[in-house]
Amino acid sequence: MAGRTVRVRGLPAELPPDRVADKLTIHFLRSRNGGGEIADLRLLPGEPPCALITFEAPEVAQRILKAKNHTLSVGGKKYPLEVTAHVAEPSPDEVARSRGLL
């Protein structure tokens, strides 16, 4: 998944998660937004909530990251989104293995 996943912040917290996921899918599938085919979309709980979107092709993620403004429009309201590259944190086993401990 390296290079194909972006992290999205600025999600509308007042909407149900399934509606947010639908709106994100529509936004990031559109070619005018730099989007393309999505392999996976996960909403992560927390304050504030965020989403991880994995695209089928790494070049789509790169186009998304290069686009300056992503705004989600829902019911007449606009939500500016912050889109950054997602860097997965290594698991404890991966860290131990890299240090020769496993």
Side-chain angles (χ1 to χ4, degrees):
M1 285 206 286
R4 298 186 306 138
T5 303
V6 298
R7 179 180 296 269
V8 181
R9 292 184 175 94
L11 307 178
E14 68 274 10
L15 295 178
D18 58 334
R19 184 142 186 241
V20 172
D22 288 347
K23 292 294 186 180
L24 287 172
T25 299
I26 291 165
H27 178 85
F28 288 106
L29 275 172
R30 287 188 175 143
S31 58
R32 73 173 184 218
N33 297 325
E37 290 299 314
I38 295 171
D40 186 48
L41 187 149
R42 287 186 291 149
L43 294 177
L44 304 178
E47 284 301 321
C50 68
L52 294 180
I53 302 173
T54 302
F55 295 94
E56 292 286 342
E59 55 271 13
V60 175
Q62 296 310 306
R63 281 196 314 261
I64 291 289
L65 291 168
K66 285 180 184 170
K68 295 294 178 207
N69 297 313
H70 288 284
T71 303
L72 199 62
S73 296
V74 182
K77 289 180 106 177
K78 296 195 181 301
Y79 300 90
L81 302 176
E82 176 191 347
V83 182
T84 58
H86 173 65
V87 180
E89 295 181 19
S91 71
D93 285 347
E94 289 171 320
V95 171
R97 217 174 278 117
S98 71
R99 295 182 180 162
L101 302 174
L102 287 181

